[in-house]
Each structure stands twice: as C-alpha cells, then as structure tokens.
Amino acid sequence: MTITLFGIRNCDTMKKARAWLDAHDVAYVFHDYKTAGIDDARLRDWIGRVGWEPLLNRAGTTFRKLPESDRVDLDADKAVALMLAQPSMIKRPVLDTGETLLVGFKPERYEAAGLGNA
C-alpha cells in the first residue's frame, strides 16, 4: 500500500502532518501540488470520495482574494476549476492511503485510519 501525502511543502499544517507521520514510522510519498500540480481526474476522484466542500480551502488567502463572482454559486465544477487553476486553494494536507482519503490534519483521525501502529 502506497500512502501519498498531498500538499504544499512550506505550509505549517503540512509540516505537522509530515512530522507526525515521520514520528510514527509511516512511509509515504510526498506530492507538492504547488510545484507538481494536480490533475483533473485525481481531483474529481477525491470529490467522489469526500465531496468538494471539504477540499476547497475557503479560509485561505488565495480564496478570500478571489473576486466575489468567483466565490458565489459554487458547485463541484466551479470548485474544480478554481482548485486546478490555483492548487493552493486545496485544503492541506490530503492523505490518500488507497482506501481512505483524509483531508486536513488531526492526529486522532490519522490514528483512527490505522496509521502509526507500526
């Protein structure tokens, strides 16, 4: 099972998630979607698994700086277009275990997903 951690390298929450995974000897591959991007198919797969609302980081500066017209009447297609254009609008981290997709970092959720029991 390959675990992939998606996010942006310098994000504070990402640093906490990576530190937790490292401290619990969880092997993972890191995908920086700020530099490597994210593709439409993967984003739509995530939306199919957890919905678009948990993935869109509405609290971030990038989203808040959007024109009002881009922030209203959101649906899955509009959210995908925004997140593909500016991946920093994707909430971080996204951890894909293959079976489970976790959005955001909470140690108890990582433990509940069976991570860190090595």
Side-chain angles (χ1 to χ4, degrees):
M1 167 174 71
T2 300
I3 296 173
T4 306
L5 183 69
F6 294 85
I8 297 171
R9 186 166 305 281
N10 292 325
C11 168
D12 288 340
T13 306
M14 287 297 306
K15 290 176 184 175
K16 291 175 188 174
R18 290 170 52 207
W20 189 95
L21 292 168
D22 292 343
H24 289 84
D25 297 320
V26 177
Y28 63 94
V29 175
F30 176 63
H31 178 102
D32 187 334
Y33 47 61
K34 183 96 170 193
T35 58
I38 194 80
D39 61 75
D40 184 86
R42 182 177 310 274
L43 197 51
R44 290 189 186 277
D45 172 62
W46 291 351
I47 289 169
R49 293 164 73 185
V50 299
W52 64 268
E53 294 92 342
L55 290 166
L56 183 62
N57 183 7
R58 295 175 192 238
T61 306
T62 305
F63 183 83
R64 290 192 320 251
K65 286 184 176 182
L66 288 173
E68 180 69 20
S69 60
D70 288 341
R71 290 184 280 139
V72 298
D73 299 325
L74 287 170
D75 61 15
D77 289 331
K78 192 171 180 180
V80 166
L82 290 172
M83 290 185 278
L84 288 174
Q86 298 188 58
S88 58
M89 275 194 255
I90 302 170
K91 190 172 275 189
R92 303 175 292 273
V94 175
L95 183 78
D96 191 346
T97 70
E99 295 175 13
T100 305
L101 190 72
L102 300 172
V103 180
F105 174 66
K106 294 207 184 297
E108 59 274 11
R109 291 186 65 225
Y110 279 33
E111 290 170 7
L115 300 171
N117 297 331

